Structure formats: C-alpha cells, structure tokens
C-alpha cells in the first residue's frame, strides 16, 4: 500500500513555551487546540487527495455546505500518551481506523483506508508532539479527534460528492473534574438514543445531538450523566451519552450490554480482554434495567462502571429515576479500580503491553 503524500506548512506563530506549559498544567477537556491540523479531501473522481498539515485555524464554509444541514458526518476519539522516556504512543489506532470505516458505511461517506487514517494521525501528532503532556502522576494525554464531513455546497439530500477529513488535537486532563469518584446516572425513560436500523453503532454527531436533551434532564435531576434504554422495549440498558457500561457481579462475572444499537467502544473491548486475563468471566448480553436495580439492591451486582476514551474507566454510583434511586455508593469498587489501573498502566507504558495494543508515534 502506497503511503499518502502529505504536505506540511508549519505555523509561524506556535504557542510559546510558557503559555503551552500553562495549558498543559491544567488542560481541561476539549478547550485548547494544538498548533496544526490535518486535512484531506475526497471526490469521486480523485479519491482522497490534497492531504496536508497546516496551521490550526477556522474553516471557511459556504452556508449551503451539506454537513450543516443534514449532519452527514462521523468522528473518532483517541489519545496519545507520553511515556516516562519521552516517547509518544497511541492506543489501538487500527481499531479507531476500522470503526471509522464502519461509521462511514452507515453514513454513506467514502472509506478512508485504515493505513491512511493511522498515517494522518501519526503525522499530525508528530508535528505537534510538544502538545502531548507529561503525565506527572496524573492521567494527562493528547486527545485526538479525527472527523469526516460532507462539504458539498448543495442542499439536495444525497451522499456528498465532496468530503473533508480532518484531525485536530486537544490536550486533556480528567474528563470528570472530580476524578474517579462515582458518577450518578439519570435513567431516561422519555428519550432514547438509537433504534433498530438506526445509527447507534456509528460514531456520528447526530447521536450526540440526540443525547443532549436527556443529558440536560439528568443535570436537572442532580445527576452527572444520562443512561439510555433500548428504543424498542425501554427495558434493556444500552449506554451513556459517551460511554459504555459494565456490571460486576459478586461472583466475579462481569457483564456488558451486547452490541447492536450501541457504539462498539475500544475501551469496552479492551476491558473484555483485560478482565478475562484477570480471571473474570465476561458476558456480552442484554441486561434489563430491573436486573440492574435488583442486583445492586440485593448485592448480587457489586460494582457498576462506565468506560470510554475520554472518561477511561469511571465508577458508577447511584442510578436515579422518576420516583426512586438505587442504594448510595460512596467509593469506587475494587474490581473497577483494578481494571482501570491495568488499562492505564498499559497506555502509559508502565506495564508490559502483552496484548500488543500500543503504537509508537515518535
Ligand atoms: N459510547 C459512546 C456513545 C461514546 O461516545 C464513546 C466514546 O467514544 C464510547 C461508547 C466509548 O468508546 P471508546 O472506548 O472507543 O472511546
Ligand atoms: C470519547 O471518549 O472519545 C468520546 O467521544 C466521548 C465524548 C467526548 C464524545
């Protein structure tokens, strides 16, 4: 496979060292962006072309640009980690690349070859490597946001014939400002995130837009995040707005909702391997809201956690709904924290990468 040709134009105004140090000291999530961005274009005639790294900056889009009207767009979320020796690594980038291919099928967008995806991510991360924070005991990283948008100037509804793929970078601290303390969840019984035949398994902006009202409802009820049930029977647990879910049983089994209408999280599948290796039988199956409520009340379910690239592994505390809640949870569960530690130790190069997941960028 021939490597993509990427032209590079460096910024004449890189963030100065003092300001960058200040940002990396306390990066937050998704608020600061690195000095450069990656862009490539696609047309049916030319395929992918014009791959380039340029100074980070605003896009100029015609008001009739298709993505602004019909939301034909997909994205990915991944991170670059700095190891103690200064080297920079990504975690299972081929899994993000392959998921983007699956998302592109669902959104009728062109396929970006996984090798080109990885080359693009590597190239931009290498150019902006000084934006990868040192960890200093905290879990900082450089969040990587590849995305693909329909850039036709056309108001007809049809798959775009001009598509733009970009990668931007944003240094990240903890996604939840309170650290790995249990988050409380609001059960949405009014709104669902995805239905059969819908886009639930694709990483596309519309799924996040549709989660916002329910997330707002969660906040109004004093909860951190919303949990969605299946769209058909309103019975089976699906996922949170931006994370998958896991249930730890007192007998050591761990259960995660089956695929279909949820996003196939890379953290989710990595945890299956990590937990399996630790001796926990892992089940992927439907889990009803009653099994959750009854299980945490009886003690049959001893821990609940959520997982995703941005949030890593986050303990789940109380589940609240209109008229009730599960018993109070004050601290993170032992199995949750053991799995979390095993995962971040691999990502930060503090444990052997026995699964071969880490990819060195520079
Ligand atoms: N589910 C949704 C809806 C998400 O947005 C995410 C975050 O990316 C996940 C699950 C977890 O996926 P991953 O572990 O690949 O980040
Ligand atoms: C991620 O974990 O990468 C996500 O996409 C979650 C959210 C920031 C959208």
């Amino acid at each position: 496979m021939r490597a993509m040709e990427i032209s590079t134009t460096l910024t004449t105004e890189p963030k100065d060292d003092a300001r960058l140090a200040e940002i990396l000291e306390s990066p937050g999530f998704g608020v600061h962006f690195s000095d450069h961005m990656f862009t490539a274009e696609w047309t049916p005639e030319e395929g992918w072309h014009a791959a380039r790294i340029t100074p980070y900056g605003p896009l100029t889009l015609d008001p009739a640009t298709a993505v602004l009207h019909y939301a034909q767009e997909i994205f990915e979320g991944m991170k670059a980690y700095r190891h103690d020796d200064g080297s920079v690594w990504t975690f299972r980038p081929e899994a993000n690349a392959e998921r983007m291919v699956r998302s592109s099928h669902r959104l009728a967008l062109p396929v970006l070859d996984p090798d080109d995806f990885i080359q693009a991510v590597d190239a931009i991360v290498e150019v902006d490597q000084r934006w990868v924070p040192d960890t200093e005991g905290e879990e900082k990283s450089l969040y990587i946001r590849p995305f693909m948008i329909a850039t036709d100037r056309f108001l007809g509804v049809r798959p775009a014939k001009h598509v733009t793929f970009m990668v931007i970078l944003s240094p990240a601290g903890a996604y939840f400002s309170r650290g790995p303390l249990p988050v409380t969840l609001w059960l949405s019984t009014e709104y669902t995130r995805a239905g059969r035949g819908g886009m639930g398994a694709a990483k596309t902006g519309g799924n996040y837009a549709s989660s916002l009202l329910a997330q707002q409802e969660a906040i109004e009820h004093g909860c951190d995040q919303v949990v969605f049930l299946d769209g058909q029977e309103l019975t089976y647990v699906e996922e949170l707005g931006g994370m998958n879910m896991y249930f730890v049983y007192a007998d050591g089994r761990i259960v995660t909702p089956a695929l279909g209408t949820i996003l196939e999280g890379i953290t989710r599948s990595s945890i299956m391997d990590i937990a399996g290796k630790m001796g926990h039988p892992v089940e992927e199956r439907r889990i009803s809201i009653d099994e959750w409520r009854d299980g945490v009340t009886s003690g049959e379910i001893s821990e609940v956690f959520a997982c995703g690239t941005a949030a890593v592994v986050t303990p789940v505390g109380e589940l609240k709904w209109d008229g009730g809640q599960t018993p109070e949870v004050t601290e993170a569960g032992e199995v949750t924290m053991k799995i979390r530690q095993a995962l971040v130790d691999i990502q930060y190069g503090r444990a052997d990468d026995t699964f071969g997941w880490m990819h060195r960028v520079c």
Side-chain angles (χ1 to χ4, degrees), residues 34-214:
S34 72
D35 291 321
H36 299 90
M37 59 190 191
F38 175 92
T39 310
E41 320 277 343
W42 178 91
T43 59
E45 298 76 33
E46 291 181 273
W48 288 106
H49 61 281
R52 57 199 187 269
I53 289 173
T54 54
Y56 186 93
L59 305 179
T60 303
L61 292 178
D62 190 284
T65 300
V67 67
L68 302 177
H69 301 271
Y70 308 125
Q72 194 192 7
E73 87 96 44
I74 55 177
F75 68 97
E76 270 305 321
M78 51 201 287
K79 284 174 170 174
Y81 307 88
R82 190 179 293 286
H83 289 186
D84 287 343
D85 65 359
S87 58
V88 174
W89 302 69
T90 51
F91 179 72
R92 307 187 73 178
E94 66 292 341
N96 294 94
E98 285 159 13
R99 187 169 64 188
M100 189 161 227
V101 171
R102 296 197 297 278
S103 297
S104 66
H105 284 312
R106 183 63 186 84
L107 273 288
L109 282 161
V111 167
L112 177 66
D113 188 285
D115 288 332
D116 291 342
F117 175 101
I118 294 172
Q119 193 195 340
V121 168
D122 283 359
I124 186 72
V125 172
E126 187 168 3
V127 165
D128 274 342
Q129 57 182 281
R130 67 191 194 106
W131 285 80
V132 184
D134 283 331
T135 306
E136 297 154 359
E138 293 171 65
E139 282 160 18
K140 291 181 188 167
S141 57
L142 184 64
Y143 186 77
I144 304 168
R145 173 54 63 86
F147 62 101
M148 197 188 285
I149 55 177
T151 37
D152 276 356
R153 178 178 170 273
F154 181 51
L155 290 184
V157 181
R158 58 135 169 82
K161 293 185 179 171
H162 189 161
V163 173
T164 304
F165 171 72
M166 300 191 70
V167 186
I168 56 172
L169 307 173
S170 176
Y175 186 65
F176 293 111
S177 49
R178 292 186 287 120
L181 283 173
V183 292
T184 52
L185 300 186
W186 172 252
L187 181 66
S188 178
T189 48
E190 173 91 26
Y191 307 108
T192 61
R193 182 184 166 276
R196 190 160 70 189
M199 307 193 297
K203 206 160 169 60
T204 181
N207 289 337
Y208 299 80
S210 86
S211 77
L212 296 176
L213 186 58

Side-chain angles (χ1 to χ4, degrees), residues 233-249:
E233 298 176 58
L234 277 181
T235 300
Y236 299 100
V237 179
E238 297 234 305
E239 62 183 324
L240 312 190
M243 277 167 277
N244 294 119
M245 293 211 65
Y246 267 101
F247 299 86
V248 182
Y249 285 68

Side-chain angles (χ1 to χ4, degrees), residues 299-316:
E300 195 190 348
I301 296 176
S302 49
E303 300 175 31
V304 183
F305 65 87
C307 64
T309 297
V312 196
V313 170
T314 296
V316 167

